[in-house]
Amino acid sequence: MSVLMANEAYDFSSLKELLEVTDGNLASNLKTLEKEEYLTVEKSFVDRKPNTRYKKTEKGRQAFENHLSALENLIKQQYK
């Protein structure tokens, strides 16, 4: 999700390369995020090759921001 927070959209191949993960691992995680409606999937063809792009949804953006806030609170509690 952090990649999608910093970018409007990202395609499967670029995500795989950036994150250095296997096809199966990435597909599994993306499917989970899609089921939670944290991202949308757009399939098309680029130069006759299939291209799958992912975009964050508002629900996904809010969930990620809530996650970051919870992490910040956890860190703050460690330094009290």
Side-chain angles (χ1 to χ4, degrees):
M1 280 302 296
S2 60
V3 174
L4 294 177
M5 292 297 288
N7 298 278
E8 182 68 27
Y10 232 78
D11 67 76
F12 187 89
S13 296
S14 297
L15 277 171
K16 180 183 165 195
E17 184 179 322
L18 177 71
L19 300 173
E20 299 179 353
V21 295
T22 63
D23 285 5
N25 185 286
L26 180 57
S28 176
N29 282 284
L30 289 169
K31 190 67 165 170
T32 299
L33 293 170
E34 182 184 6
K35 283 182 183 177
E36 292 297 322
E37 299 178 346
Y38 288 173
L39 54 80
T40 59
V41 181
E42 297 176 356
K43 297 188 180 221
S44 63
F45 285 89
V46 176
D47 296 327
R48 297 186 184 190
K49 295 179 186 176
N51 181 271
T52 305
R53 293 181 62 79
Y54 300 90
K55 291 183 177 184
K56 69 183 170 294
T57 62
E58 180 58 30
K59 182 178 179 181
R61 184 196 62 75
Q62 187 61 52
F64 189 80
E65 288 179 359
N66 290 344
H67 176 69
L68 288 181
S69 180
L71 289 175
E72 287 174 0
N73 288 335
L74 184 64
I75 291 167
K76 287 176 185 174
Q77 289 176 7
Q78 294 295 318
Y79 292 102
K80 282 186 176 182

